[in-house]
């Protein structure tokens, strides 16, 4: 991520913290040293949702920025449970998303109780209601998680077939719709490069979005990414991904009418009266993957499932969990271990082999 992109995220964080109480801004400033700007921006979004809810429910009559610490200290566990229900039933957040939002709130409240101090050395909060709230129980054994995932990823010949579909075959499905056909022809190299890069490297959505031209080394087939925890890492990509990236880079500036100052790797078509171009957003990449997935006949495919597809293929062909862990940027090897459960052909053969020894009761 270049300095411009980093500064852009930091500016957005400043915009969000200006809309939040002073003590939230203080906490965010403390976390800048240890958290990536993208993760910190997600925290800010979570806090905006929480404080908006406080005002809507009447816990404080005033501006969001003026919510006092005393308001947080008086919250009950049941009221927080009501907030979690609001996330689930009103905002349609799944259990994983709710746990993430709860985690960001727990971190803030812990800071206010156990880290921050007033001028007379007293904690900002004496009572921390978030310490009494449990996360949603969503843990499943790796075999169960793997089997749920298995039907939603690409297998065997589907890797190449899906890439081929994006590059060339999709246009056949929209040939009678001139608008869709023109749009695909405009973006075919870009979309193919995105799909091919994820399938050939296992990058996260945020990592793909944040890539700049200077982050790509076609000769070494590596990209520089900022991983979770604000750690910079060089990640390898496949030969096919390299070819597709090269094809895209050959047409990028001309097709998207880009000035030399635009350093984003993946960009959207120019829009507006000034014909300005912009970096592709996470939502835009999610939508383009969904569009191709539905047309391909695998509607459950997503950016994250493409990442899973890469990991499954890598593990099946290399059987090297430590290297896969590094490639994916997992902090825990247990997260990577799930891919050992996705393609257990020996177990399948053993079960099938049972039929060879089965003898019917009547001897036939």
């Amino acid at each position: 991520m270049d300095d411009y992109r980093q500064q852009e995220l930091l500016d957005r964080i400043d915009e969000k913290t200006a809309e939040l109480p002073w003590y939230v801004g203080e906490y965010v400033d403390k976390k800048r040293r240890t958290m990536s700007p993208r993760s910190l921006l997600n925290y800010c979004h979570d806090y905006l949702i929480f404080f908006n809810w406080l005002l809507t429910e009447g816990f404080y009559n005033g501006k969001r920025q003026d919510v006092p610490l005393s308001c947080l200290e008086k919250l009950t566990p049941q009221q927080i449970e009501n907030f979690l229900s609001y996330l689930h039933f009103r905002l349609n957040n799944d259990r994983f998303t709710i746990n993430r939002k709860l985690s960001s709130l727990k971190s803030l409240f812990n800071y206010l109780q156990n880290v921050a101090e007033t001028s007379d050395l007293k904690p900002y909060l004496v009572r921390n209601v978030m310490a009494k709230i449990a996360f949603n129980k969503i843990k499943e054994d790796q075999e169960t998680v793997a089997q749920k995932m298995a039907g939603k990823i690409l297998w065997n010949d589907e890797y190449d077939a899906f890439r081929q579909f994006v590059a060339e075959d999709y246009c056949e499905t929209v040939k009678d719709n001139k608008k869709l056909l023109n749009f695909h022809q405009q973006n075919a190299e870009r979309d193919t490069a995105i799909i091919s890069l994820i399938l050939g490297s296992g990058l996260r959505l945020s990592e793909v979005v944040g890539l700049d031209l200077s982050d790509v080394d076609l000769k070494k087939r590596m990209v520089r990414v900022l991983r979770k925890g604000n750690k910079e890492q060089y990640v390898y990509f496949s030969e096919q991904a390299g070819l597709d990236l090269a094809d895209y880079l050959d047409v990028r500036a001309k097709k998207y009418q880009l000035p030399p100052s635009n350093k984003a790797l993946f960009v959207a078509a120019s829009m507006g009266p000034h014909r300005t171009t912009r970096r592709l957003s996470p939502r835009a990449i999610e939508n383009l993957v969904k569009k191709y997935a539905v047309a391909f006949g695998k509607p459950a495919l997503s950016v994250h499932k493409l990442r899973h597809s890469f990991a499954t293929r890598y593990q099946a062909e290399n059987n090297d969990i430590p290297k896969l862990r590094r490639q994916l940027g997992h902090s825990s090897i247990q997260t990577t271990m799930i891919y050992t459960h996705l393609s257990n052909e020996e177990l399948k053969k053993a079960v099938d082999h049972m039929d060879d020894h089965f003898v019917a009761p009547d001897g036939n």
Side-chain angles (χ1 to χ4, degrees):
M1 181 186 297
D2 65 8
D3 293 340
Y4 175 80
R5 179 59 177 163
Q6 179 116 340
Q7 189 58 51
E8 186 181 83
L9 290 172
L10 293 175
D11 289 343
R12 290 178 64 191
I13 290 171
D14 290 339
E15 291 174 7
K16 300 303 179 186
T17 52
E19 302 173 18
L20 291 161
W22 64 269
Y23 47 85
V24 180
E26 179 182 303
Y27 165 77
V28 170
D29 284 340
K30 297 287 186 183
K31 299 297 287 184
R32 288 176 190 261
R33 291 187 297 106
T34 57
M35 287 184 66
S36 71
R38 201 178 307 280
S39 296
L40 205 50
L41 183 59
N42 286 335
Y43 269 37
C44 291
H45 286 303
D46 295 342
Y47 298 147
L48 285 170
I49 292 172
F50 176 68
F51 281 93
N52 284 340
W53 176 82
L54 288 178
L55 299 183
T56 301
E57 293 298 311
F59 291 105
Y60 179 71
N61 295 317
K63 295 181 179 179
R64 187 197 306 118
Q65 296 93 322
D66 299 330
V67 175
L69 286 162
S70 59
C71 177
L72 305 187
E73 202 159 44
K74 293 176 183 177
L75 290 170
T76 67
Q78 183 56 55
Q79 288 166 342
I80 299 301
E81 292 293 345
N82 291 343
F83 170 66
L84 300 181
S85 295
Y86 164 79
L87 294 177
H88 180 62
F89 294 107
R90 296 295 297 276
L91 300 189
N92 296 317
N93 289 171
D94 59 27
R95 292 176 297 170
F96 294 94
T97 304
I98 292 172
N99 275 356
R100 186 185 62 76
K101 286 182 166 65
L102 181 56
S103 177
S104 64
L105 286 170
K106 279 178 171 285
S107 183
L108 170 63
F109 275 65
N110 179 69
Y111 169 80
L112 298 175
Q113 181 187 42
N114 298 314
V115 179
E117 293 181 339
T118 63
S119 58
D120 55 354
L121 306 182
K122 292 183 179 179
Y124 285 2
L125 287 184
V126 175
R127 178 176 169 276
N128 177 3
V129 67
M130 290 297 172
K132 303 180 180 185
I133 307 300
F135 288 106
N136 287 317
K137 293 182 178 180
I138 55 178
K139 186 174 180 62
E140 298 174 304
D141 65 80
Q142 291 182 326
E143 186 71 35
T144 301
V145 174
Q147 294 311 311
K148 285 184 177 180
M149 189 193 305
K152 301 176 182 179
I153 64 175
L154 298 172
W155 292 93
N156 303 319
D157 295 340
E158 288 181 329
Y159 295 94
D160 295 329
F162 186 57
R163 181 212 154 271
Q164 173 71 18
F165 180 79
V166 175
E168 298 181 17
D169 299 342
Y170 174 78
C171 62
E172 283 297 311
T173 69
V174 295
K175 62 183 180 181
D176 296 328
N177 187 318
K178 189 174 181 180
K179 183 178 179 180
L180 293 179
L181 181 61
N182 289 340
F183 188 80
H184 175 68
Q185 291 173 339
Q186 165 69 20
N187 298 301
E189 293 91 353
R190 182 200 67 186
D191 294 356
T192 303
I194 290 172
I195 297 296
S196 193
L197 179 60
I198 301 172
L199 282 176
S201 68
L203 290 180
R204 295 181 176 92
L205 173 61
S206 61
E207 294 164 353
V208 175
V209 170
L211 286 173
D212 292 319
L213 293 173
S214 59
D215 294 324
V216 181
D217 188 330
L218 288 176
K219 289 184 179 180
K220 294 182 179 179
R221 294 215 308 269
M222 299 172 70
V223 288
R224 180 179 59 196
V225 298
L226 198 63
R227 312 221 92 150
K228 288 185 176 180
N230 215 20
K231 297 177 182 177
E232 185 179 271
Q233 183 182 333
Y234 287 85
V235 179
Y236 290 102
F237 53 81
S238 68
E239 183 176 0
Q240 183 62 62
L243 294 173
D244 291 332
L245 278 169
D247 288 344
Y248 165 63
L249 291 172
D250 283 344
V251 302
R252 172 184 169 276
K254 183 177 180 180
K255 271 200 169 186
Y256 297 95
Q257 302 174 7
L258 297 172
S261 59
N262 191 315
K263 302 301 182 182
L265 177 59
F266 296 118
V267 295
S270 55
M271 295 178 63
H274 301 294
R275 306 300 292 172
T276 54
T277 54
R278 65 192 188 282
R279 182 185 300 269
L280 267 186
S281 67
R283 177 66 62 85
I285 293 180
E286 286 176 328
N287 286 341
L288 76 84
V289 171
K290 182 177 181 180
K291 175 184 73 174
Y292 291 121
V294 170
F296 184 68
K298 298 259 310 190
L301 271 181
S302 63
V303 176
H304 204 57
K305 294 302 185 296
L306 295 181
R307 174 173 156 87
H308 286 320
S309 298
F310 162 81
T312 304
R313 187 178 194 179
Y314 182 99
Q315 174 59 16
E317 295 181 0
N318 299 285
N319 193 27
D320 193 329
I321 285 294
K323 286 183 180 178
L324 178 57
R325 175 190 177 186
R326 185 186 183 284
Q327 179 77 15
L328 296 175
H330 287 159
S331 57
S332 169
I333 200 167
Q334 292 303 315
T335 307
T336 319
M337 287 295 291
I338 188 174
Y339 299 105
T340 64
H341 297 271
L342 273 163
S343 182
N344 198 334
E345 289 298 321
E346 290 188 7
L347 177 60
K348 180 178 182 297
K349 289 177 181 178
V351 173
D352 291 341
H353 188 59
M354 291 170 60
D355 290 339
D356 297 340
H357 300 280
F358 177 73
V359 178
D362 61 0
N364 295 325

